[in-house]
Amino acid sequence: MATIQDRIKEIEEELHKTEYNKATQKHIGILKAKLSRLELEAQSHKKGGGEGFSVPKSGDSTVALVGFPSVGKSSILNKLTSQESKIGSFAFTTLTVIPGTLNYKGAQIQILDLPGIIENASVGSGRGREVLSMVRNADLVLVVTDVEAKGVDRIIFELHRAGIVLNRRRRNISVKKANSGGIKIHKPRKVDIDDDDIKDVLKEFKITNADVFIRESITMDDLIDHLKGNTIYAPALFVVNKIDLPHKRENIENLKQFGRVVEVSASANIGMEKLKEEIYQSLELIRVYLREKSGYVDTERPLVLRKGIVVREVVRKISREMLESFKYAIIAGPHRKQAELRVGLEYELLDSDILTIISRN
Ligand SMILES: Nc1nc2c(ncn2[C@@H]2O[C@H](COP(=O)(O)OP(=O)(O)OP(=O)(O)O)[C@@H](O)[C@H]2O)c(=O)[nH]1
Ligand SMILES: [Mg+2]
């Protein structure tokens, strides 16, 4: 009898040789659904697998360096932080996770240097599963290549299989299982995905009775990722290292289909400041300064927060008591039209805001 691994392999091969077009789209969708389900099955057979290295999260955000061996991940870590991760001219120099801290614009950004991944990392090659499970905790993924910029699609594929989707947001899908009644699909008319295709994918996940709500345009992949249930969505930057070496422009240009591309040389120190700025921008961090009662503003130590944060979350970070006695807040800052704004707990903060909290009594 064919083992799960054999069947996974078979489907992978078929996926590999099937060219993507309008006619094969549906077939590919079903194959992917089958593959996902088999992989979930394979994982549940493995005891305790994919536990990962234990590196605690620290700082304001975490960034993971992912790529094939010897592209220069450790060299980049060392240049971004004051860490000294071992650099070697042979593959698999880094065998464990090496964390470092990048201090930039008042933010402390944890950077994780990971062992190189190889083909089939997501199903256990190398220490692939452990490496990929570290990536799941990152707020930003740096996919690193050398100037040949090869194999990025394979890396994205391995990440995807490990439940990590780059540069895409979660779609508005919900599937409510029922005991009878078949599959009922609720979607706006303009959503361009076939009801039969949806049903076929659900069948692969052994769902025969359910209400399916799709509230925006989705692809088959979005549906499969939703049904897998453990998908995380992370922003990514594509870092091309060793730009000091001779290279073909087109190889690098080709990466732009996946996201933002940053060209650097860690050893020749080219583009490293730009990379820091790109990391900071991609993390969407903002700095907020607190004004004390006396009027004093501590400009040296801003609070570093995620974009979109509201006054309530900031006050709670400072102290519970402060939240309980909160009366209102005053906001001033370079991105504000008014000199001083009087706001409540649900007000969103912007970068460089100066925040004064007024308490009752
Ligand atoms: N020419 C050039 N060589 C570089 C650059 N950055 C790193 N290297 C060299 O590339 C080789 C691999 O560097 P590492 O930083 O160890 O690569 P890695 O991606 O961490 O490798 P693994 O830990 O094995 O996955 C070393 O010989 C480095 O000296 C660069 O910008 N230009
Ligand atoms: Mg390394």
Side-chain angles (χ1 to χ4, degrees):
M1 207 186 89
T3 64
I4 294 182
Q5 293 308 336
D6 292 338
R7 280 155 67 204
I8 289 179
K9 210 159 175 190
E10 226 170 82
I11 295 176
E12 272 172 5
E13 275 162 14
E14 187 162 353
L15 269 175
H16 226 76
K17 64 176 193 242
T18 313
E19 205 175 307
Y20 186 90
N21 59 46
K22 201 78 194 157
T24 58
Q25 195 179 338
K26 178 181 169 132
H27 180 57
I28 287 176
I30 302 297
L31 285 175
K32 282 184 175 169
K34 274 200 167 67
L35 190 61
S36 303
R37 200 185 42 76
L38 283 171
E39 277 163 356
L40 284 178
E41 219 171 287
Q43 272 165 35
S44 67
H45 283 286
K46 259 184 210 143
K47 319 183 259 314
E51 238 176 46
F53 308 89
S54 63
V55 175
K57 255 188 142 157
S58 79
D60 303 307
S61 293
T62 300
V63 177
L65 291 162
V66 184
F68 291 125
S70 298
V71 295
K73 299 178 295 300
S74 301
S75 306
I76 291 173
L77 175 87
N78 294 353
K79 278 284 151 62
L80 290 177
T81 72
S82 49
Q83 186 54 258
E84 280 175 32
S85 188
K86 204 166 145 210
I87 295 171
S89 54
F90 45 88
F92 295 113
T93 302
T94 308
L95 296 171
T96 179
V97 179
I98 312 288
T101 305
L102 163 64
N103 291 302
Y104 189 72
K105 292 192 170 171
Q108 291 196 323
I109 301 167
Q110 182 182 43
I111 312 244
L112 301 179
D113 178 23
L114 301 177
I117 60 164
I118 48 175
E119 204 100 332
N120 288 322
S122 57
V123 287
S125 296
R127 291 188 76 182
R129 283 163 59 91
E130 289 131 295
V131 174
L132 293 168
S133 80
M134 290 305 295
V135 181
R136 291 181 64 90
N137 296 321
D139 301 297
L140 170 70
V141 178
L142 297 192
V143 177
V144 185
T145 72
D146 59 17
V147 278
E148 297 210 349
K150 269 206 249 146
V152 168
D153 48 346
R154 297 302 301 170
I155 293 171
I156 291 173
F157 180 75
E158 293 297 332
L159 289 168
H160 190 185
R161 285 215 290 192
I164 304 155
V165 176
L166 302 183
N167 287 345
R168 189 168 175 84
R169 70 177 166 76
R170 190 183 297 281
R171 301 287 140 153
N172 197 333
I173 303 171
S174 62
V175 177
K176 299 213 161 57
K177 289 190 201 160
N179 292 321
S180 59
I183 305 284
K184 285 189 224 111
I185 298 163
H186 313 269
K187 62 176 172 45
R189 202 170 305 132
K190 62 175 196 292
V191 169
D192 169 34
I193 179 169
D194 220 61
D195 282 8
D196 286 338
D197 293 356
I198 296 173
K199 286 181 185 164
D200 285 343
V201 169
L202 287 171
K203 200 155 53 176
E204 286 305 325
F205 284 86
K206 302 202 161 76
I207 301 171
T208 45
N209 297 300
D211 274 294
V212 181
F213 298 90
I214 296 170
R215 300 183 184 89
E216 59 184 316
S217 283
I218 64 162
T219 62
M220 293 276 260
D221 273 349
D222 291 323
L223 181 62
I224 295 168
D225 292 338
H226 175 83
L227 292 168
K228 275 162 73 178
N230 60 351
T231 308
I232 61 135
Y233 294 79
L237 283 176
F238 295 84
V239 182
V240 178
N241 188 34
K242 310 195 187 183
I243 202 72
D244 56 309
L245 298 178
H247 56 272
K248 286 207 189 89
R249 248 352 283 168
E250 62 191 79
N251 293 346
I252 297 170
E253 292 298 319
N254 189 33
L255 289 184
K256 291 190 177 159
Q257 63 180 301
F258 303 115
R260 285 188 74 83
V261 176
V262 192
E263 299 165 32
V264 303
S265 167
S267 61
N269 222 346
I270 302 169
M272 297 309 288
E273 283 309 307
K274 170 101 193 299
L275 178 58
K276 289 178 188 174
E277 179 63 24
E278 291 273 352
I279 291 172
Y280 182 81
Q281 293 290 343
S282 302
L283 285 168
E284 302 201 307
L285 297 173
I286 61 168
R287 285 161 300 166
V288 171
Y289 301 91
L290 287 181
R291 186 196 305 265
E292 293 173 9
K293 263 204 194 110
S294 62
Y296 171 76
V297 180
D298 188 348
T299 50
E300 292 296 312
R301 290 178 305 154
L303 295 170
V304 179
L305 309 158
R306 327 179 304 282
K307 197 169 146 190
I309 199 165
V310 296
V311 172
R312 176 190 298 280
E313 295 163 84
V314 182
V315 178
R316 193 190 295 128
K317 261 181 195 276
I318 302 167
S319 84
R320 276 215 94 77
E321 294 84 72
M322 204 166 218
L323 186 59
E324 273 152 28
S325 63
F326 178 87
K327 198 168 167 197
Y328 62 92
I330 299 166
I331 290 177
H335 300 298
R336 301 292 182 182
K337 286 202 193 87
Q338 256 167 288
E340 284 199 334
L341 273 166
R342 194 171 149 157
V343 302
L345 284 172
E346 305 313 322
Y347 201 82
E348 184 181 326
L349 291 152
L350 299 179
D351 189 32
S352 305
D353 272 347
I354 298 164
L355 179 68
T356 316
I357 296 161
I358 308 295
S359 300
R360 273 181 270 116
N361 64 55

